Amino acid sequence: MRIAMAQISSGSDPEKNLVTVSEQTAAAAARGAELVIFPEATMCRFGVPLGPVAQPLDGPWATAVGEIAAEHRVTVVAGMFTPGDGDRVRNTLVIAGRDGQIQGYNKIHLYDAFGFAESRTVEPGDRTVTFDTGSVTVGTATCYDIRFPQLFTTLADRGATLIVVPTSWGAGPGKLTQWQTLAAARALDSGCFIAAVGQAVPSDPAIAESSAPTGIGHSILAGPFGMVHTELGDAAELAVLDLDFDEVERARRSIAVSANRRDVNSLASTSIDTDT
């Protein structure tokens, strides 16, 4: 299977960002990609009010992504914002099939960390989502989700052999190392390929240095043995890559974490006081 990781830097204008989706999808399709993955917040970057830009999955922005996917006969995954309850929005991945049909995944784990409170403006999702493209089942996660191993093992249990992780990672000390470690670890946890596609570093220093998670680049393709097959730099870039799913079968046979996993929450617990 050939995939494309479209590491872009979104602005605050959804229409201009849609042009980028169209251009990058066309370029990826011309190179034979079957699945094109864009970052979280492709519709509009973080750091601006999200309520005014949010649209439903049957609204014009997602519909246009579906039309782009159908035009080029590829599947497209891109981050957007949809209306939530009250004043909050949902951090949504639009998944547009090669026939233009739309579905979505709402980010489950919200980024209330490192001084940022996503939950003030974003409503969490309540279900996992997989989709099929060709013969491959693909799981979905978004950014901060990558810190929660159970989501990834659950997606693997539900048939995923590739998990896409659109991201707009926050900058800061140690954050790149955490990103690299987490992508490889989730590949090992799940026995899947992990295609973690991030926002590039914004060209405007004021945006890049804000408290909002506007991206650090370094999109990663990690394999099920935990090896990083590809890591991009911090600038915008389109990477087209071939996946060999025999690697998934080999990893799951040899490491066997799924077959050997036990439900530790159901086990009895013993607490030992070593001071007595």
Side-chain angles (χ1 to χ4, degrees), residues 5 25 29 33 39 45 56 69 73 76 114-115 126 129-130 170 182 213 217 219 246:
M5 301 197 305
T25 301
R45 69 171 177 86
R73 301 296 293 166
V76 175
F114 294 99
D126 60 4
V129 173
T130 62
L182 289 162
S219 298
D246 287 344

Side-chain angles (χ1 to χ4, degrees), residues 3 18 81 96 100 113 133 141 147 159 168 180 203 216 236 263:
I3 69 168
L18 192 60
F81 299 99
T133 180
R147 293 185 181 273
S168 188
Q180 294 163 327
S203 57
I216 63 168
D263 180 9

Side-chain angles (χ1 to χ4, degrees), residues 45-104:
R45 69 171 177 86
F46 284 109
V48 298
L50 299 175
V53 302
Q55 298 179 14
L57 280 172
D58 59 357
W61 201 87
T63 298
V65 174
E67 291 169 350
I68 292 166
E71 177 185 356
H72 298 287
R73 301 296 293 166
V74 298
T75 299
V76 175
V77 179
M80 64 175 294
F81 299 99
T82 57
D85 291 334
D87 294 331
R88 293 198 292 177
V89 301
R90 295 186 179 93
N91 188 336
T92 301
L93 298 182
V94 55
I95 304 157
R98 56 186 299 168
D99 58 359
Q101 294 298 306
I102 298 295
Q103 57 179 310

Side-chain angles (χ1 to χ4, degrees), residues 114 147 169-182 216:
F114 294 99
R147 293 185 181 273
W169 202 251
K175 294 295 295 298
L176 174 57
T177 299
Q178 292 172 32
W179 168 246
Q180 294 163 327
T181 300
L182 289 162
I216 63 168

Side-chain angles (χ1 to χ4, degrees), residues 91-235:
N91 188 336
T92 301
L93 298 182
V94 55
I95 304 157
R98 56 186 299 168
D99 58 359
Q101 294 298 306
I102 298 295
Q103 57 179 310
Y105 163 70
N106 295 320
K107 183 179 181 182
I108 293 172
H109 301 98
L110 300 184
Y111 182 62
D112 288 359
F114 294 99
F116 190 81
E118 188 177 15
S119 64
R120 286 186 304 195
T121 57
V122 178
E123 177 184 338
D126 60 4
R127 67 184 61 195
T128 63
V129 173
T130 62
F131 64 93
D132 292 334
T133 180
S135 61
V136 177
T137 298
V138 182
T140 55
T142 302
C143 199
Y144 193 57
D145 281 335
I146 204 170
R147 293 185 181 273
F148 299 87
Q150 188 176 2
L151 173 59
F152 290 76
T153 55
T154 297
L155 291 169
D157 289 344
R158 294 175 181 175
T161 51
L162 164 65
I163 301 174
V164 299
V165 193
T167 296
S168 188
W169 202 251
K175 294 295 295 298
L176 174 57
T177 299
Q178 292 172 32
W179 168 246
Q180 294 163 327
T181 300
L182 289 162
R186 296 298 82 84
L188 278 167
D189 293 336
S190 61
C192 290
F193 282 103
I194 301 295
V197 181
Q199 290 271 352
V201 174
S203 57
D204 184 339
I207 296 173
E209 295 168 7
S210 72
S211 62
T214 54
I216 63 168
H218 289 273
S219 298
I220 289 174
L221 175 67
F225 283 101
M227 301 294 292
V228 173
H229 290 284
T230 298
E231 180 175 342
L232 305 186
D234 59 14

